[in-house]
Amino acid sequence: MATDAGLTTGQLEDRTAVRVERLHRSFNEAGGVLNGLDLDIAPGEFVALIGRSGSGKSTLLRALAGLDRDVAGHGSIDVPDRVSVVFQDSRLLPWRRILDNVAFGLRGRDARRRGEEALAEVGLAGRERSWPHELSGGEQQRAALARSLVRDPELLLADEPFGALDALTRMRMHILLKRLCAVHRPSVLLVTHDVDEAIVLADRVIVLVDGVVSSDIHIDLGERRSPGDPRFASLRTRLLAELGVEDDHEAIDTQDRKAAS
Amino acid sequence: MTTLLERPTAASAGPVVDKRVVRRRLGPGKRIPFSLAIGPLLLVGLWCLLSATGRLDPRTLSEPWVVVETARDLIENGRLQDALQTSAVRAFAGLGLGTAIGTLLALVSGLSRVGEAVIDGPIQVKRAIPTLALLPLLVLWLGITEEMKIVTIALAVMLPVYIHTHNGLRTIDGRYAELAETVDIGRPQFIRDIVLPGAMPGFLLGMRFAVTTALLSLVVVEQINATSGIGYMIHLASSYGQTEIIVVGLVVYALLGLAADGLVRTIERKALAWRRTLG
């Protein structure tokens, strides 16, 4: 991980981009989705959030994005001023051309130029005048990435952004996202259900179980991470175990038999 | 049944064989060129034939050539243009007024809960009453005037515009609103860039119904108590048994309807370019 040359004093190194304390959220009386969750994310840090469905990943992300107006709960959230969100669907407005989508909501005279630059960065130069439906799924998601990065976010929130893409496209998107993050250095919170994706991309992987952080693992596999690496494999096994998936067919068989009886 | 075809293609010199398995076609097959014109042309042909052989009494329906001649006379003495202008002004004034009111009400009702509570109910009640049933009341209020005719048309037109625009607004994907919230835009820009374009398909669908409704209302207000316009011309001709003038009037109505529908469709093609599929 590159260090910020501007940081010299110990005090400044303490600063966080995101601080979540004792966060509670619940959708009904029965039980909370988030139950007193604490989370800090450092500036420029890439955090992947994994968990089973219903574990509260998306609820946390939406809370950070400020999109949970109608959800009951309490706790405190500090996020930077500039927050961008990438959704699972590209959410490009079908009635705006790609450039107008990327520059959507940007103010200032250079909005279009910045949009064009962002499009070039994600490899979509020349597609400015296309309609969203003319792009492939991967291209649409790249345009969505451009739309989030053109705002120069201090925090990038991504909710399973590659979940709907095919495996090959997803791998190319991983490389692209890594490169973009290296250039722009936002803090990133990536929600994913793909353990490999989390290990490939993140500085830190956080496992969410029952609305609290159950483990917080730093990934120190260096820059080039290959699933062939034994450390990669053991990390994956460990994370899958945390999620309740045994890397072992016998265990699943036993569970099935238990469930059947 | 499966048939095996073996046929050499003439296009290339080599021994290219196009061998395929072909199933019996169950669908209607390829389109016939200009198929839309065939039915109407056949009908006109039949009309000519029946008139020429004397099978069709001119008192029932004038001969096609008499109709054409009458149309020419009516154009030459200016009656048709006058009538058409009067009718067109009524139709478009009513259409414009009704569209404006319908759209405005749909926006207010679609964008605010208070607006919905106040507006949507009365509109649904109004919907249950055929606008033409309000004619006696409108005649009492406004007299037999141009305003009465335009207001009647506008009241009728308002409904489809309101209903389809409102529906268009309400079916805008909530995810787009969420996106708008994440890019920090204000309400005016939200309305301009998300609400209006999102409701556009519904609005234009409403416009196509509105055009038909405007024409229908036009016909009614012109035949009940008018002293000018195409409807009056037809009404008068009916009193004198001049079927050729009636047919001319009907053709003009048809042309008005087609023109208006074509106009809306052109706007639709331009405004909804983003919806066009690749195929």
Side-chain angles (χ1 to χ4, degrees):
Chain A
M1 208 182 121
T3 48
D4 193 328
L7 298 180
T8 45
T9 66
Q11 200 190 359
L12 270 178
E13 275 171 3
D14 278 347
R15 66 184 183 154
T16 54
V18 175
R19 169 155 288 171
V20 177
E21 285 174 325
R22 292 183 302 282
L23 192 67
H24 291 262
R25 288 290 184 269
S26 58
F27 291 102
N28 53 41
E29 305 289 317
V33 181
L34 299 178
N35 300 303
L37 178 134
D38 295 309
L39 172 69
D40 283 356
I41 301 177
E45 189 180 27
F46 196 129
V47 174
L49 186 63
I50 60 174
R52 286 202 262 186
S53 45
S55 60
K57 322 185 281 292
S58 290
T59 308
L60 172 60
L61 183 129
R62 293 176 63 83
L64 290 176
L67 292 173
D68 63 345
R69 217 180 295 108
D70 302 323
V71 184
H74 52 90
S76 81
I77 296 175
D78 282 312
V79 291
D81 289 336
R82 296 192 305 276
V83 179
S84 284
V85 187
V86 185
F87 301 93
Q88 178 167 8
D89 56 300
S90 66
R91 224 164 277 202
L92 299 170
L93 301 173
W95 49 82
R96 293 175 79 99
R97 293 177 191 273
I98 293 302
L99 179 59
D100 298 325
N101 260 291
V102 170
F104 182 46
L106 278 188
R107 287 169 197 89
R109 216 173 284 165
D110 58 343
R112 291 188 74 78
R113 186 187 52 76
R114 283 165 60 198
E116 280 164 10
E117 283 173 9
L119 272 176
E121 249 191 309
V122 299
L124 286 178
R127 305 303 298 270
E128 289 84 358
R129 302 266 309 148
S130 299
W131 296 110
H133 73 77
E134 293 169 334
L135 267 55
S136 70
E139 288 172 329
Q140 290 181 6
Q141 208 55 327
R142 276 194 270 163
L145 259 181
R147 180 183 56 204
S148 62
L149 289 171
V150 77
R151 274 143 247 279
D152 192 22
E154 295 159 277
L155 173 63
L156 178 65
L157 298 168
D159 191 0
E160 301 192 20
F162 313 131
L165 303 178
D166 65 88
L168 281 175
T169 311
R170 197 180 309 169
M171 282 162 74
R172 295 176 60 186
M173 293 295 286
H174 289 163
I175 296 167
L176 175 68
L177 181 61
K178 241 183 152 159
R179 204 181 68 221
L180 291 171
C181 287
V183 174
H184 295 270
R185 302 216 51 76
S187 304
V188 181
L189 183 69
L190 170 81
V191 165
T192 179
H193 55 251
D194 181 344
V195 171
D196 284 12
E197 181 170 284
I199 302 173
V200 165
L201 291 172
D203 302 319
R204 231 168 98 203
V205 176
I206 284 175
V207 183
L208 213 58
V209 175
D210 294 334
V212 290
V213 173
S214 83
S215 48
D216 187 338
I217 302 164
H218 277 271
I219 311 287
D220 42 9
L221 295 179
E223 276 308 304
R224 298 198 57 80
R225 300 172 184 180
S226 129
D229 188 335
R231 287 179 300 164
F232 194 114
S234 73
L235 206 51
R236 180 207 280 135
T237 310
R238 181 176 159 198
L239 287 171
L240 283 173
E242 295 258 4
L243 296 175
V245 183
E246 302 294 334
D247 209 1
D248 180 352
H249 292 287
E250 245 173 71
I252 292 170
D253 287 346
T254 323
Q255 271 177 5
D256 283 350
R257 237 173 287 129
K258 257 188 224 157
S261 63
Chain B
M1 266 307 272
T2 305
T3 22
L4 203 63
L5 289 189
E6 210 167 329
R7 52 183 179 202
T9 50
S12 67
V16 178
V17 176
D18 180 12
K19 183 177 174 183
R20 49 179 112 177
V21 178
V22 178
R23 297 202 183 270
R24 193 159 61 91
R25 193 198 302 277
L26 296 175
K30 282 184 194 157
R31 280 184 172 281
I32 306 169
F34 306 110
S35 56
L36 268 180
I38 292 173
L41 284 178
L42 278 177
L43 277 178
V44 172
L46 188 69
W47 180 19
C48 289
L49 191 73
L50 289 177
S51 294
T53 54
R55 292 283 180 89
L56 191 62
D57 190 336
R59 281 172 300 180
T60 307
L61 192 60
S62 297
E63 299 88 337
W65 42 92
V66 176
V67 172
V68 173
E69 221 167 273
T70 310
R72 204 169 48 218
D73 291 347
L74 284 172
I75 291 169
E76 269 166 13
N77 64 27
R79 265 182 75 195
L80 190 63
Q81 290 93 315
D82 286 350
L84 178 62
Q85 197 197 346
T86 313
S87 292
V89 166
R90 282 173 191 153
F92 283 102
L95 189 64
L97 187 65
T99 304
I101 297 173
T103 310
L104 199 71
L105 289 180
L107 281 178
V108 175
S109 156
L111 288 173
S112 86
R113 296 289 170 193
V114 177
E116 184 180 28
V118 174
I119 293 169
D120 202 49
I123 296 266
Q124 299 303 331
V125 173
K126 162 79 180 64
R127 208 178 143 187
I129 310 168
T131 306
L132 300 177
L134 293 176
L135 259 178
L137 205 53
L138 289 169
V139 170
L140 269 183
W141 287 348
L142 299 168
I144 301 176
T145 55
E146 283 303 298
E147 288 80 47
M148 182 276 293
K149 296 183 183 66
I150 291 170
V151 167
T152 307
I153 296 171
L155 278 176
V157 159
M158 188 184 88
L159 276 179
V161 174
Y162 172 87
I163 288 165
H164 291 280
T165 310
H166 187 255
N167 186 47
L169 274 170
R170 277 293 147 93
T171 49
I172 293 176
D173 201 325
R175 296 172 312 154
Y176 295 139
E178 205 173 83
L179 170 79
E181 288 164 15
T182 68
V183 297
D184 272 329
I185 56 171
R187 208 168 163 82
Q189 205 192 342
F190 171 66
I191 292 174
R192 197 192 67 202
D193 290 340
I194 308 257
V195 172
L196 292 182
M200 191 54 93
F203 169 76
L204 288 170
L205 179 65
M207 279 309 290
R208 290 189 64 185
F209 283 107
V211 164
T212 323
T213 311
L215 214 61
L216 174 72
S217 312
L218 176 74
V219 170
V220 174
V221 294
E222 286 195 335
Q223 296 209 347
I224 290 181
N225 35 34
T227 49
S228 58
I230 300 285
Y232 173 68
M233 192 180 88
I234 293 177
H235 196 62
L236 207 62
S238 168
S239 315
Y240 295 113
Q242 297 165 307
T243 52
E244 67 277 9
I245 296 188
I246 296 179
V247 173
V248 172
L250 292 180
V251 170
V252 172
Y253 272 143
L255 292 179
L256 256 181
L258 282 175
D261 194 55
L263 190 71
V264 177
R265 281 212 240 187
T266 310
I267 297 172
E268 210 167 26
R269 244 198 321 278
K270 290 259 193 291
L272 302 185
W274 53 272
R275 274 223 306 201
R276 216 179 302 158
T277 48
L278 287 172

